Amino acid sequence: MKFILSVVIATSSLFAAVSAHAIVKRAPPAGPHWDYSGDKTGPDHWGLLDPAYVTCESGMQQSPVDINKESLSRFVHCAKKALTFDYKPVKDAVAHFNGHTVEIDWTPGAKTHNNSIAIGKKQYNLIQFHFHTPSEHRINGRHADAELHLVHRNPVDKSLAVIGVLLQAQARNVPFFHYLTALQKKVHADKHSAVAAAPGTTSAIIEELLKDSVCAGTQPTSEEATKVDYPLPSVDFEPLVRALKGFTPRWEYSGSLTTPPCSENVAWNVMHDPYPIGLDQLRALVDLQGYNARDIEDSRGGSSHK
């Protein structure tokens, strides 16, 4: 699969003036601080930060992985059979930056429809979705511009299943991601200034931008940004599901969370076909969350592409 990598590194700084009505108190994140930097709180040290994170270092089925000829012959399965799913619009969702990623979540109610997927005889309900820039999974060693994770949980044993959607930038904005630029403007309380991307940007240039601008993992947002919500009256998944042909075809494998505590036995479903994201939306996403992709894991003994 060929991806045109056109990730744009936004360099605007955070303005402190966020309107008072946009501030919502949030509970501090549980556990010790971790990030995507190259220092002692970065991915190479996650397993040492807390006993609860030891799987990040000692796990044998860690994610993300590079999907290539080797992994397909060993533990990744290409599924062409339709995935059983039941998706309807979600009401009263909230988009926010949680300190690590832009996340969209909601509070289930008595009348809330449980968007779900079925794997075997197990049902998993959608609980939130979030983003990584660039993509965490790679195809034949290559990143996509970003990756969307639809996180599902079984209501009985609390096991997880994640649908990973590789995102590819295009000139036009995409309606499904309209909240990204809106959230960015609300965080900054001003229009952003971003690095403009030239048409036909090559992957080599993109890699240099990533290396020079955000590979150190420094988040361009402040702690105040984690208190800003952008309400979404409704999230309609129909355009996404239709474009992904009902989540088929896809690559399946058993892996882990890609963030601490890196718990394993996560049922991964990485979509074969990419989904578009607008350049302005990608700029907003990178501006909000920076570089937040864990390196490829080779815990199964295969070759590493770190």
Side-chain angles (χ1 to χ4, degrees):
M1 178 184 298
K2 182 178 180 182
F3 291 99
I4 301 173
L5 301 184
S6 52
V7 68
V8 182
I9 307 305
T11 57
S12 58
S13 60
L14 176 66
F15 292 91
V18 178
S19 57
H21 72 274
I23 301 299
V24 176
K25 290 185 178 180
R26 292 187 178 279
H33 171 73
W34 57 270
D35 55 33
Y36 292 91
S37 67
D39 59 23
K40 294 183 179 179
T41 55
D44 289 343
H45 300 275
W46 286 350
L48 305 176
L49 296 176
D50 190 285
Y53 297 172
V54 68
T55 306
C56 298
E57 183 173 357
S58 63
M60 298 303 293
Q61 293 186 339
Q62 288 291 287
S63 297
V65 301
D66 184 13
I67 298 173
N68 54 33
K69 185 176 180 180
E70 179 186 356
S71 58
L72 281 166
S73 67
R74 296 173 56 233
F75 60 89
V76 178
H77 170 65
C78 183
K80 298 179 181 180
K81 184 178 179 181
L83 182 69
T84 301
F85 68 94
D86 181 13
Y87 266 44
K88 292 182 180 178
V90 168
K91 304 293 184 181
D92 299 323
V94 176
H96 60 95
F97 173 68
N98 66 13
H100 298 118
T101 180
V102 172
E103 180 175 304
I104 291 80
D105 52 30
W106 50 90
T107 301
K111 297 183 179 180
T112 302
H113 175 76
N114 283 323
N115 284 352
S116 65
I117 60 174
I119 300 176
K121 295 182 179 180
K122 291 183 68 172
Q123 177 177 310
Y124 299 84
N125 297 332
L126 182 66
I127 56 174
Q128 52 102 330
F129 60 95
H130 63 268
F131 299 85
H132 293 272
T133 46
S135 70
E136 295 198 298
H137 288 90
R138 302 187 202 181
I139 311 301
N140 293 319
R142 299 188 67 186
H143 286 292
D145 295 325
E147 186 169 343
L148 166 67
H149 287 171
L150 299 158
V151 183
H152 303 73
R153 182 171 59 204
N154 180 271
V156 179
D157 63 14
K158 309 304 180 185
S159 58
L160 299 174
V162 183
I163 293 178
V165 183
L166 302 174
L167 303 179
Q168 178 177 307
Q170 66 173 29
R172 293 180 302 167
N173 282 341
V174 177
F176 183 74
F177 299 123
H178 71 90
Y179 44 83
L180 294 177
T181 50
L183 175 62
Q184 185 203 30
K185 289 178 181 179
K186 197 167 185 179
V187 166
H188 288 289
D190 200 340
K191 291 183 178 180
H192 61 75
S193 59
V195 177
T201 305
T202 66
S203 59
I205 293 176
I206 294 304
E207 291 300 326
E208 285 303 310
L209 285 171
L210 287 171
K211 178 180 178 182
D212 293 343
S213 301
V214 293
C215 202
T218 303
Q219 299 293 349
T221 50
S222 74
E223 287 301 315
E224 284 298 294
T226 66
K227 303 175 184 177
V228 179
D229 286 344
Y230 182 77
L232 300 173
S234 179
V235 178
D236 185 4
F237 295 95
E238 195 274 336
L240 176 71
V241 175
R242 183 179 68 251
L244 295 173
K245 303 170 186 175
F247 302 124
T248 306
R250 63 194 177 278
W251 291 293
E252 300 176 333
Y253 77 97
S254 180
S256 75
L257 296 177
T258 62
T259 58
C262 307
S263 307
E264 296 190 333
N265 298 314
V266 174
W268 274 99
N269 297 263
V270 181
M271 294 301 100
H272 182 279
D273 297 330
Y275 188 74
I277 183 172
L279 279 174
D280 286 344
Q281 294 164 336
L282 184 62
R283 292 186 186 114
L285 189 58
V286 174
D287 183 46
L288 286 164
Q289 64 184 29
Y291 187 103
N292 68 341
R294 188 187 190 190
D295 285 331
I296 292 299
E297 297 300 307
D298 62 346
S299 55
R300 291 170 175 81
S303 60
S304 173
H305 292 271
K306 290 184 180 182

CSV table of all heavy atoms in Angstrom, one decimal, residues 32-35 39-59 62 259-262 294 297:
chain,number,residue,atom,x,y,z
A,32,PRO,N,2.2,7.8,37.3
A,32,PRO,CA,3.3,8.8,37.1
A,32,PRO,C,3.3,9.4,35.7
A,32,PRO,O,2.7,8.9,34.8
A,32,PRO,CB,4.6,7.9,37.2
A,32,PRO,CG,4.1,6.6,36.8
A,32,PRO,CD,2.7,6.5,37.3
A,33,HIS,N,3.9,10.6,35.6
A,33,HIS,CA,4.0,11.3,34.3
A,33,HIS,C,4.7,10.5,33.2
A,33,HIS,O,5.8,9.9,33.5
A,33,HIS,CB,4.6,12.6,34.4
A,33,HIS,CG,4.9,13.3,33.1
A,33,HIS,ND1,3.9,13.9,32.4
A,33,HIS,CD2,6.1,13.5,32.5
A,33,HIS,CE1,4.5,14.4,31.3
A,33,HIS,NE2,5.8,14.2,31.3
A,34,TRP,N,4.2,10.4,32.0
A,34,TRP,CA,4.9,9.8,30.9
A,34,TRP,C,4.6,10.6,29.7
A,34,TRP,O,3.7,11.3,29.6
A,34,TRP,CB,4.5,8.3,30.7
A,34,TRP,CG,3.0,8.1,30.5
A,34,TRP,CD1,2.0,7.9,31.4
A,34,TRP,CD2,2.3,8.2,29.2
A,34,TRP,NE1,0.8,7.8,30.8
A,34,TRP,CE2,0.9,8.0,29.4
A,34,TRP,CE3,2.7,8.4,27.9
A,34,TRP,CZ2,0.0,7.9,28.4
A,34,TRP,CZ3,1.8,8.3,26.9
A,34,TRP,CH2,0.4,8.1,27.1
A,35,ASP,N,5.5,10.5,28.7
A,35,ASP,CA,5.3,11.3,27.5
A,35,ASP,C,6.0,10.5,26.3
A,35,ASP,O,6.4,9.4,26.4
A,35,ASP,CB,5.8,12.7,27.6
A,35,ASP,CG,7.3,12.8,28.1
A,35,ASP,OD1,8.1,11.9,27.7
A,35,ASP,OD2,7.6,13.7,28.8
A,39,ASP,N,13.7,11.4,26.8
A,39,ASP,CA,14.3,11.4,28.1
A,39,ASP,C,13.8,10.2,29.0
A,39,ASP,O,13.2,9.3,28.5
A,39,ASP,CB,14.2,12.7,28.8
A,39,ASP,CG,12.7,13.1,29.0
A,39,ASP,OD1,11.9,12.2,29.0
A,39,ASP,OD2,12.5,14.3,29.1
A,40,LYS,N,13.9,10.4,30.3
A,40,LYS,CA,13.5,9.3,31.2
A,40,LYS,C,12.0,9.1,31.4
A,40,LYS,O,11.6,8.2,32.1
A,40,LYS,CB,14.2,9.5,32.6
A,40,LYS,CG,15.7,9.5,32.5
A,40,LYS,CD,16.3,9.6,33.9
A,40,LYS,CE,17.8,9.5,33.8
A,40,LYS,NZ,18.5,9.7,35.1
A,41,THR,N,11.2,9.9,30.7
A,41,THR,CA,9.7,9.6,30.8
A,41,THR,C,9.2,9.2,29.4
A,41,THR,O,8.0,9.0,29.3
A,41,THR,CB,9.0,10.9,31.2
A,41,THR,OG1,9.4,12.0,30.4
A,41,THR,CG2,9.3,11.3,32.7
A,42,GLY,N,10.1,9.0,28.5
A,42,GLY,CA,9.7,8.6,27.1
A,42,GLY,C,9.5,7.1,27.0
A,42,GLY,O,9.7,6.3,28.0
A,43,PRO,N,9.1,6.6,25.8
A,43,PRO,CA,8.7,5.2,25.6
A,43,PRO,C,9.7,4.2,26.0
A,43,PRO,O,9.3,3.1,26.5
A,43,PRO,CB,8.4,5.2,24.1
A,43,PRO,CG,8.0,6.6,23.7
A,43,PRO,CD,8.8,7.5,24.6
A,44,ASP,N,11.0,4.5,25.9
A,44,ASP,CA,12.0,3.5,26.2
A,44,ASP,C,12.1,3.3,27.7
A,44,ASP,O,12.7,2.3,28.2
A,44,ASP,CB,13.4,4.0,25.7
A,44,ASP,CG,13.5,3.9,24.2
A,44,ASP,OD1,12.7,3.2,23.6
A,44,ASP,OD2,14.4,4.5,23.7
A,45,HIS,N,11.5,4.2,28.5
A,45,HIS,CA,11.5,4.1,30.0
A,45,HIS,C,10.2,3.9,30.6
A,45,HIS,O,10.1,3.8,31.8
A,45,HIS,CB,12.2,5.4,30.5
A,45,HIS,CG,13.6,5.6,30.1
A,45,HIS,ND1,14.7,5.0,30.6
A,45,HIS,CD2,14.0,6.3,29.0
A,45,HIS,CE1,15.8,5.4,30.0
A,45,HIS,NE2,15.4,6.2,29.0
A,46,TRP,N,9.1,3.7,29.8
A,46,TRP,CA,7.8,3.6,30.4
A,46,TRP,C,7.7,2.4,31.4
A,46,TRP,O,7.1,2.5,32.5
A,46,TRP,CB,6.7,3.3,29.3
A,46,TRP,CG,6.4,4.5,28.5
A,46,TRP,CD1,6.7,5.8,28.8
A,46,TRP,CD2,5.6,4.6,27.3
A,46,TRP,NE1,6.2,6.7,27.8
A,46,TRP,CE2,5.5,5.9,26.9
A,46,TRP,CE3,5.0,3.6,26.5
A,46,TRP,CZ2,4.9,6.3,25.7
A,46,TRP,CZ3,4.3,4.0,25.4
A,46,TRP,CH2,4.2,5.3,25.0
A,47,GLY,N,8.3,1.3,31.1
A,47,GLY,CA,8.3,0.1,31.9
A,47,GLY,C,9.0,0.3,33.3
A,47,GLY,O,8.8,-0.5,34.2
A,48,LEU,N,9.8,1.4,33.4
A,48,LEU,CA,10.5,1.6,34.7
A,48,LEU,C,9.8,2.7,35.5
A,48,LEU,O,10.3,2.9,36.7
A,48,LEU,CB,11.9,2.1,34.3
A,48,LEU,CG,12.8,1.2,33.4
A,48,LEU,CD1,14.1,1.8,33.1
A,48,LEU,CD2,12.9,-0.2,34.1
A,49,LEU,N,8.8,3.3,35.0
A,49,LEU,CA,8.2,4.5,35.7
A,49,LEU,C,7.3,4.0,36.9
A,49,LEU,O,7.1,4.7,37.8
A,49,LEU,CB,7.4,5.3,34.7
A,49,LEU,CG,8.2,6.0,33.6
A,49,LEU,CD1,7.2,6.8,32.7
A,49,LEU,CD2,9.2,7.0,34.2
A,50,ASP,N,6.7,2.8,36.7
A,50,ASP,CA,5.8,2.3,37.7
A,50,ASP,C,5.6,0.8,37.6
A,50,ASP,O,5.7,0.3,36.5
A,50,ASP,CB,4.4,3.0,37.5
A,50,ASP,CG,3.4,2.8,38.6
A,50,ASP,OD1,2.9,1.6,38.7
A,50,ASP,OD2,3.2,3.7,39.4
A,51,PRO,N,5.5,0.1,38.7
A,51,PRO,CA,5.3,-1.4,38.6
A,51,PRO,C,4.2,-1.7,37.7
A,51,PRO,O,4.2,-2.8,37.0
A,51,PRO,CB,5.1,-1.8,40.0
A,51,PRO,CG,5.9,-0.8,40.8
A,51,PRO,CD,5.6,0.5,40.1
A,52,ALA,N,3.1,-0.9,37.7
A,52,ALA,CA,1.9,-1.2,36.8
A,52,ALA,C,2.3,-1.1,35.4
A,52,ALA,O,1.5,-1.5,34.5
A,52,ALA,CB,0.8,-0.2,37.2
A,53,TYR,N,3.4,-0.5,35.0
A,53,TYR,CA,3.8,-0.3,33.6
A,53,TYR,C,4.8,-1.3,33.1
A,53,TYR,O,5.3,-1.2,32.0
A,53,TYR,CB,4.4,1.1,33.4
A,53,TYR,CG,3.4,2.3,33.7
A,53,TYR,CD1,3.9,3.6,33.6
A,53,TYR,CD2,2.1,2.1,33.9
A,53,TYR,CE1,3.1,4.7,33.9
A,53,TYR,CE2,1.2,3.2,34.2
A,53,TYR,CZ,1.7,4.5,34.2
A,53,TYR,OH,0.9,5.5,34.4
A,54,VAL,N,5.1,-2.3,33.9
A,54,VAL,CA,6.2,-3.2,33.6
A,54,VAL,C,6.0,-3.9,32.3
A,54,VAL,O,6.9,-4.3,31.5
A,54,VAL,CB,6.4,-4.2,34.7
A,54,VAL,CG1,5.2,-5.2,34.8
A,54,VAL,CG2,7.7,-5.0,34.5
A,55,THR,N,4.7,-4.1,31.9
A,55,THR,CA,4.4,-4.8,30.6
A,55,THR,C,4.9,-4.0,29.4
A,55,THR,O,5.2,-4.6,28.4
A,55,THR,CB,2.9,-5.1,30.5
A,55,THR,OG1,2.4,-5.7,31.6
A,55,THR,CG2,2.6,-5.9,29.2
A,56,CYS,N,5.1,-2.7,29.5
A,56,CYS,CA,5.6,-1.9,28.5
A,56,CYS,C,7.0,-2.4,28.1
A,56,CYS,O,7.5,-2.3,26.9
A,56,CYS,CB,5.7,-0.4,28.8
A,56,CYS,SG,4.1,0.3,29.2
A,57,GLU,N,7.7,-3.0,29.1
A,57,GLU,CA,9.1,-3.4,28.8
A,57,GLU,C,9.2,-4.9,28.7
A,57,GLU,O,10.0,-5.4,27.8
A,57,GLU,CB,10.0,-3.0,30.0
A,57,GLU,CG,11.5,-3.4,29.8
A,57,GLU,CD,12.4,-2.8,30.8
A,57,GLU,OE1,11.9,-2.0,31.7
A,57,GLU,OE2,13.6,-3.0,30.8
A,58,SER,N,8.4,-5.7,29.4
A,58,SER,CA,8.5,-7.1,29.5
A,58,SER,C,7.5,-7.9,28.6
A,58,SER,O,7.6,-9.1,28.4
A,58,SER,CB,8.4,-7.6,30.9
A,58,SER,OG,7.1,-7.3,31.5
A,59,GLY,N,6.5,-7.1,28.1
A,59,GLY,CA,5.4,-7.8,27.3
A,59,GLY,C,5.9,-8.5,26.1
A,59,GLY,O,6.9,-8.1,25.5
A,62,GLN,N,3.5,-6.8,22.2
A,62,GLN,CA,3.4,-5.3,22.3
A,62,GLN,C,3.0,-4.7,20.9
A,62,GLN,O,3.4,-5.2,19.8
A,62,GLN,CB,4.7,-4.7,22.8
A,62,GLN,CG,4.9,-5.0,24.3
A,62,GLN,CD,3.9,-4.2,25.2
A,62,GLN,OE1,3.9,-3.0,25.3
A,62,GLN,NE2,2.9,-5.0,25.7
A,259,THR,N,0.0,2.8,24.9
A,259,THR,CA,0.3,3.7,25.9
A,259,THR,C,0.3,3.0,27.3
A,259,THR,O,-0.3,1.9,27.4
A,259,THR,CB,-0.7,4.9,26.0
A,259,THR,OG1,-2.0,4.3,26.2
A,259,THR,CG2,-0.7,5.7,24.7
A,260,PRO,N,1.1,3.5,28.3
A,260,PRO,CA,1.0,2.8,29.6
A,260,PRO,C,-0.4,2.6,30.1
A,260,PRO,O,-1.2,3.5,29.9
A,260,PRO,CB,1.8,3.8,30.5
A,260,PRO,CG,2.7,4.5,29.5
A,260,PRO,CD,1.9,4.7,28.3
A,261,PRO,N,-0.7,1.4,30.6
A,261,PRO,CA,0.2,0.4,31.1
A,261,PRO,C,0.6,-0.7,30.1
A,261,PRO,O,1.1,-1.7,30.4
A,261,PRO,CB,-0.6,-0.2,32.3
A,261,PRO,CG,-2.0,-0.1,31.8
A,261,PRO,CD,-2.1,1.2,31.1
A,262,CYS,N,0.3,-0.4,28.8
A,262,CYS,CA,0.7,-1.4,27.7
A,262,CYS,C,0.1,-2.8,27.9
A,262,CYS,O,0.7,-3.8,27.5
A,262,CYS,CB,2.2,-1.4,27.6
A,262,CYS,SG,3.0,0.1,27.4
A,294,ARG,N,4.1,5.8,19.5
A,294,ARG,CA,5.1,4.9,20.0
A,294,ARG,C,5.8,4.2,18.9
A,294,ARG,O,5.3,3.9,17.8
A,294,ARG,CB,4.3,3.8,20.9
A,294,ARG,CG,5.3,2.9,21.7
A,294,ARG,CD,4.5,1.8,22.4
A,294,ARG,NE,5.4,1.1,23.3
A,294,ARG,CZ,5.0,-0.1,23.9
A,294,ARG,NH1,3.8,-0.6,23.6
A,294,ARG,NH2,5.8,-0.7,24.8
A,297,GLU,N,7.2,-2.1,17.9
A,297,GLU,CA,7.6,-3.0,18.9
A,297,GLU,C,8.0,-4.3,18.2
A,297,GLU,O,7.3,-4.8,17.3
A,297,GLU,CB,6.6,-3.3,19.9
A,297,GLU,CG,6.2,-2.0,20.7
A,297,GLU,CD,7.4,-1.5,21.5
A,297,GLU,OE1,8.0,-2.2,22.2
A,297,GLU,OE2,7.7,-0.3,21.3
